[in-house]
Amino acid sequence: MTLFTPMLRHSSLTEIFSDEQTLQGMLDFEAALALACAQCGVIPESALAAITAHCQAENLDAQALAQAAAGAGNLAIPLVKQLTANVKRQDEQAARYVHWGATSQDVIDTGLILQLRKGLEASETLLEQLILALTEQIQRHQHSVMPGRTWMQHALPITFGLKLAGTLDALLRWQQRLHEMKPRALVLQFGGAAGTLASLKDRGGDVAQALANALSLTQADTPWHSQRDRLLEVAAWFAGVSGTLGKFAGDFSLLMQTEVAELGEPVAEGRGGSSTMPHKRNPVSCAAILTATTRIPGLMATLYASQNQQHERALGGWQAEWETLPQLITLTGGVMQTTLELMRGMQVNTTRMRANLDITHGLIMAESVTLELAKFIGKQAAHHLVEQLCHRALDGNQPLERLLAQQPEVTAHLSAKQIEHLLDPQQALGSNNLFINQVLARAAQQNKEPE
């Protein structure tokens, strides 16, 4: 479905999980396997040059390989056959040592790990860019007051900087998790037919270590042919990042509604238009993000289900990962890239944010008045009194300030100037700046340039 790639998967991760890169990952395994076996004296060194020379994806007939995989049950079997035939045309003796000691799943899984390494590196870069873009917007809008909303209704004043800081806080945690996860995830798969490397006799451990070194991967304590928790953790990381950014896009689209108009997507020719309504500026970036994040939980569910793998090699569960995991990752890559463009170019209407604070005629500040009045008449009595005045303000479409100034039980304790001060949203931000500064400090510490 490549027509939708620019909309949903336009990031560097898509190329990493292309068909060509999938084949190249498996061929990189085969080249490294030949090197490791030669280093350990398992195959003759004379076979090495001919094998490695043909471990390039462009040397394969991908269409023929795909057709053969339908009968073979996986891509590795026809890949090894094609590779062997290609090597044989150059060196018949060397062709005898292609794929020595490995099984199909070793090839496919390690090839995937090599792709994942590139994918995680690209994701780390995207994440750093997202953190930087958010940091700049938070600093720009640390004091931009707007309505905080709970249950989709006005709650108390916050700043747009604090709203963004919540997203940054989550992304910093995902960054930490990525750093912790990589050593666990980037491991060699090499176990042979049943996970014992029996075909290599007593040299299995030596070849495995040499192979891990050649590919710059960690050697697993045991082959993990049917223990897929590492891949599940990787998938969960991508799904979690997409969830955080999906929440951001959902909030953004709500703040972009005509009646709210506090945010807008970046302006560009032809962006967000309608085929019939020339006035429209649709949240197309938010739609793309939310489209992907709607699909990702289902893909994640498939990967959870595929953990149930039989004995030493799976029937169905392993195979279900082949398309599902790359789809999940490339969709998340699109989410990250689209969100980055949205964060960098967002249109922020601070005037509208401030105006929206006043649409309830001061009711958003009712708690502030209640707490001050409670010092004199008690919290329950103050809450009951201010609640009644709020109902009157709504029913009569009157400013709360006027009703407070007309209420003897209020004016007995609060002056007109005090009431005005209590109804000023700027005076009711609490620890807003403290929270923002804490997140910004952690972002600076976590992403500082190495000395």
Side-chain angles (χ1 to χ4, degrees):
M1 305 294 285
T2 56
L3 286 174
F4 296 108
T5 294
M7 182 187 301
L8 300 175
R9 292 179 292 274
H10 71 301
S11 81
S12 55
L13 277 73
T14 296
E15 174 56 29
I16 292 169
F17 290 92
S18 66
D19 290 345
E20 182 177 2
Q21 289 301 308
T22 297
L23 298 178
Q24 189 59 56
M26 290 190 281
L27 290 170
D28 288 345
F29 170 88
E30 293 291 353
L33 175 62
L35 174 62
C37 286
Q39 288 174 339
C40 294
V42 174
I43 69 172
E45 289 191 11
S46 59
L48 182 59
I51 294 173
T52 56
H54 288 88
C55 287
Q56 299 296 323
E58 60 264 26
N59 295 334
L60 298 177
D61 183 340
Q63 281 299 109
L65 191 156
Q67 290 297 323
N74 65 58
L75 289 169
I77 293 173
L79 179 141
V80 170
K81 285 184 178 179
Q82 279 198 32
L83 175 60
T84 302
N86 291 343
V87 173
K88 189 175 182 179
R89 281 191 287 270
Q90 176 185 335
D91 186 334
E92 188 170 345
Q93 288 300 311
R96 295 167 55 191
Y97 300 104
V98 172
H99 193 63
W100 194 268
T103 192
S104 298
Q105 191 166 353
D106 295 336
V107 184
I108 292 172
D109 281 351
T110 301
L112 174 62
I113 292 296
L114 296 176
Q115 288 178 284
L116 285 178
R117 179 166 61 192
K118 293 178 183 177
L120 291 174
E121 288 171 356
S123 299
E124 190 168 15
T125 298
L126 275 173
L127 191 55
E128 289 169 355
Q129 293 171 338
L130 283 164
I131 288 169
L132 177 60
L134 260 182
T135 297
E136 291 174 350
Q137 292 287 13
I138 290 167
Q139 291 170 335
R140 188 173 296 125
H141 293 289
Q142 181 163 358
H143 305 292
S144 299
V145 183
M146 66 180 297
R149 295 171 170 93
T150 62
W151 286 47
M152 303 287 284
Q153 306 293 309
H154 278 205
L156 293 173
I158 62 170
T159 68
F160 188 48
L162 180 63
K163 195 172 190 71
L164 296 176
T167 302
L168 176 59
D169 193 23
L171 291 182
L172 290 171
R173 291 192 294 276
W174 288 120
Q175 188 179 50
Q176 290 176 320
R177 293 184 185 108
L178 177 58
H179 294 160
E180 295 163 359
M181 176 182 70
K182 285 169 69 176
R184 288 194 296 270
L186 300 178
V187 297
L188 175 70
Q189 174 75 286
F190 188 50
T196 63
L197 291 177
S199 63
L200 295 174
K201 299 182 172 57
D202 62 346
R203 304 309 307 276
D206 296 333
V207 174
Q209 188 59 61
L211 178 55
N213 292 343
L215 294 171
S216 298
L217 295 174
T218 301
Q219 184 180 354
D221 291 334
T222 63
W224 44 279
H225 291 134
S226 56
Q227 300 292 344
R228 314 302 284 179
D229 57 288
R230 291 182 179 91
L231 298 186
L232 187 66
E233 183 179 10
V234 171
W237 185 86
F238 281 100
V241 170
S242 75
T244 294
L245 298 180
K247 184 263 191 294
F248 173 83
D251 284 354
F252 196 108
S253 62
L254 290 172
L255 295 175
M256 198 173 162
Q257 290 182 104
T258 305
E259 296 84 354
V260 181
E262 293 175 5
L263 294 180
E265 291 195 355
V267 177
E269 181 66 28
R271 183 187 183 91
S274 164
S275 61
T276 58
M277 296 172 284
H279 67 281
K280 292 294 291 292
R281 277 189 61 196
N282 292 319
V284 292
S285 292
C286 293
I289 294 166
L290 294 170
T291 298
T293 57
T294 298
R295 290 184 58 197
I296 285 171
L299 296 171
M300 196 67 210
T302 298
L303 294 171
Y304 270 110
S306 71
Q307 294 294 293
N308 184 11
Q309 302 204 2
Q310 304 80 16
H311 298 306
E312 282 62 55
R313 299 286 288 281
L315 179 68
W318 170 51
Q319 294 84 347
E321 298 168 355
W322 296 344
E323 288 186 315
T324 304
L325 182 56
Q327 285 177 4
L328 190 155
I329 291 173
T330 54
L331 282 170
T332 302
V335 167
M336 295 175 79
Q337 183 64 48
T338 302
T339 305
L340 178 60
E341 295 163 6
L342 186 58
M343 286 178 177
R344 285 173 170 171
M346 68 171 71
Q347 306 292 303
V348 183
N349 189 338
T350 56
T351 301
R352 183 71 177 196
M353 288 177 174
R354 184 63 183 82
N356 282 343
L357 285 166
D358 298 328
I359 63 174
T360 57
H361 304 297
L363 296 190
I364 196 169
M365 297 303 302
E367 183 190 56
S368 180
V369 177
T370 300
L371 293 176
E372 187 63 25
L373 195 58
K375 296 177 183 178
F376 305 100
I377 65 174
K379 190 168 187 286
Q380 187 172 0
H383 181 87
H384 180 68
L385 174 59
V386 175
E387 185 179 39
Q388 286 185 319
L389 294 176
C390 287
H391 290 163
R392 286 174 55 191
L394 285 170
D395 292 342
N397 196 25
Q398 301 179 66
L400 179 61
E401 183 176 2
R402 180 191 304 167
L403 296 178
L404 288 167
Q406 295 172 353
Q407 183 66 36
E409 293 176 72
V410 175
T411 56
H413 306 288
L414 302 176
S415 67
K417 189 171 184 179
Q418 285 177 300
I419 293 171
E420 181 183 2
H421 180 80
L422 290 169
L423 293 176
D424 181 359
Q426 289 280 5
Q427 307 305 318
L429 294 173
S431 298
N432 185 96
N433 286 337
L434 170 66
F435 295 146
I436 289 175
N437 291 334
Q438 287 176 165
V439 175
L440 290 177
R442 185 156 59 87
Q445 176 64 29
Q446 202 163 298
N447 291 273
K448 67 180 180 181
E449 293 290 334
E451 296 179 0

